[in-house]
Amino acid sequence: MESPRDILKRHGLRAKYSWGQNFLGDEDALEAIADALNLRADEPVVELGPGLGHLTRFLAATGARVTAVERDRDMVMVLEKEAIPGVRVVSGNAATVDFAQVAGAPDVAVAGNLPYHLTSPILFRVLEQRAHVSRAVFTLQKEVVERLAAVPGNRDYGLLTVLLGMHYDAENVLTLEAWRFHPPPKVDSAVLRLTRREAPRAPILDEARFTRVVKASFAHRRKTLINSIKSDPTLGTTETLIAALEAAGVDPQRRAETLAPEEFAAIERALGPVTAAQAKTPEE
């Protein structure tokens, strides 16, 4: 396979640093990433930010139906000229795409080498569309993958770890050193695999309120749970929150990073009927 450097040169292009473009051309790594998705023949898969088409070729080689979503017009031009068999190229923004709609299928797999600055928006997008995303394999900054695959009690454990962990099993499947990319990033990367669970880890009354509970809990990581969670006044008074924590069997003096997703769910349920303010996501 032609190297990223040679393909860029052949098309008279350079990597765009402002777009976070670091192209992976290592064939062993690309094969491992494609294998991690366990694609079936004719299964729909959406690749986000295919760039020069290196991973795209390995995805297509599985016999899957690949929809490659690329925002950079230069990369769209390259992909169209390369004309990889079994691949449909779509010009679009990976951070706003509707996965099922763009693939024309109700259930899809998703893959991509994600720019670091788009990691959170895309992961939240997967979470929002979890009913249609059976699994995902993403190349991300190594420390981000370690955070998302962390377990309770680990200092890397955080907001997205819990939110994704309610609906997906997260695994760190591969480390990719910076030298494998062109141009090499300043840090190493890793490959995250998300596999949707058949059911959430625990029942909750309202998804938006659950998000509020977790977000408030991690708002001040060095503080105790009660002192952090009360930072969101829509969740209730200090007395109400203490009562909910005790009803959920959670010590108010613990810290957020020690709680499993099931414990956050128990807190959300213990808050009782959902108010209109709580039913809105924290960003609304």
Side-chain angles (χ1 to χ4, degrees):
M1 184 180 294
E2 203 173 1
S3 71
R5 185 191 302 273
D6 289 342
I7 294 178
L8 287 169
K9 184 177 180 180
R10 178 158 55 84
H11 289 279
L13 299 172
R14 292 183 179 180
K16 296 182 174 74
Y17 288 93
S18 61
W19 286 47
Q21 290 180 342
N22 303 99
F23 302 106
L24 179 63
D26 185 293
E27 295 191 31
D28 289 338
L30 292 165
E31 184 175 20
I33 294 169
D35 287 347
L37 264 180
N38 296 314
L39 291 167
R40 303 181 301 275
D42 206 40
E43 181 178 8
V45 56
V46 176
E47 185 186 3
L48 306 178
L52 300 169
H54 286 83
L55 178 59
T56 317
R57 294 179 185 275
F58 281 88
L59 296 175
T62 67
R65 290 183 285 119
V66 183
T67 301
V69 180
E70 177 59 62
R71 183 171 62 130
D72 185 343
R73 292 181 180 179
D74 289 334
M75 297 300 107
V76 171
M77 177 270 294
V78 170
L79 291 166
E80 289 177 342
K81 286 185 177 180
E82 297 293 315
I84 304 169
V87 175
R88 184 169 64 95
V89 180
V90 174
S91 180
N93 188 338
T96 60
V97 68
D98 183 314
F99 303 120
Q101 184 180 63
V102 76
D107 209 44
V108 301
V110 181
N113 176 12
L114 305 186
Y116 296 155
H117 66 285
L118 291 181
T119 295
S120 289
I122 290 174
L123 289 175
F124 274 111
R125 196 74 177 156
V126 168
L127 193 56
E128 291 167 5
Q129 299 181 50
R130 61 187 177 275
H132 305 289
V133 180
S134 63
R135 58 203 186 282
V137 171
F138 294 130
T139 299
L140 309 171
Q141 190 172 343
K142 183 181 177 182
E143 68 177 36
V144 173
V145 174
E146 290 173 344
R147 189 180 312 147
L148 295 173
V151 297
N154 188 306
R155 65 182 180 84
D156 293 326
Y157 189 75
L159 170 66
L160 257 176
T161 319
V162 175
L163 296 182
L164 282 169
M166 273 293 288
H167 303 284
Y168 287 92
D169 291 324
E171 303 169 78
N172 182 346
V173 298
L174 180 67
T175 296
L176 298 173
E177 298 85 357
W179 60 263
R180 296 179 184 271
F181 296 82
H182 173 78
K186 295 181 180 179
V187 296
D188 289 341
S189 300
V191 178
L192 173 75
R193 176 166 56 198
L194 298 173
T195 305
R196 187 177 60 201
R197 300 175 59 84
E198 291 186 5
R201 290 185 185 275
I204 57 174
L205 298 180
D206 183 82
E207 190 75 33
R209 186 172 67 175
F210 177 72
T211 300
R212 300 190 83 94
V213 168
V214 180
K215 187 170 185 178
S217 298
F218 283 100
H220 304 283
R221 294 183 66 103
R222 294 185 179 181
K223 293 186 177 182
T224 61
L225 186 61
I226 184 58
N227 285 329
S228 188
I229 199 172
K230 68 183 184 182
S231 63
D232 186 340
T234 71
L235 294 175
T237 64
T238 300
E239 292 75 18
T240 298
L241 292 170
I242 290 175
L245 289 168
E246 291 178 346
V250 176
D251 184 347
Q253 299 306 308
R254 288 172 63 184
R255 286 180 167 76
E257 65 266 23
T258 69
L259 272 68
E262 293 88 342
E263 292 178 292
F264 283 108
I267 296 169
E268 190 274 337
R269 294 194 306 272
L271 288 171
V274 181
T275 68
Q278 293 170 350
K280 295 180 180 180
T281 60
E283 291 75 22
E284 290 179 328

